[in-house]
Amino acid sequence: MKKQKRINKRVVIYSILALGFLALTYLVDWIFIIGAVILMILNQKELRKD
């Protein structure tokens, strides 16, 4: 039997926020890339936890 994969809500939220920061990077100012990088690091830590 395969173990059922559950959706990690934190990973989904971090990913959506990071995409928002990337959009702000292109539309407003390049400095928003820092927020996307921070969220990417948090996302990787969350994924390695499981």
Side-chain angles (χ1 to χ4, degrees):
M1 273 186 139
K2 280 189 173 181
K3 186 179 174 185
Q4 190 78 6
K5 290 276 185 178
R6 60 180 172 80
I7 296 175
N8 193 338
K9 290 179 184 174
R10 247 188 221 172
V11 171
V12 173
I13 292 171
Y14 288 161
S15 299
I16 292 171
L17 285 173
L19 286 173
F21 273 109
L22 283 177
L24 286 172
T25 299
Y26 287 109
L27 297 173
V28 181
D29 198 11
W30 64 270
I31 201 76
F32 284 105
I33 198 77
I34 295 171
V37 170
I38 291 170
L39 285 168
M40 181 187 70
I41 293 168
L42 289 173
N43 217 352
Q44 287 297 317
K45 284 184 181 180
E46 191 68 31
L47 285 171
R48 290 175 196 253
K49 229 191 276 187
D50 291 342

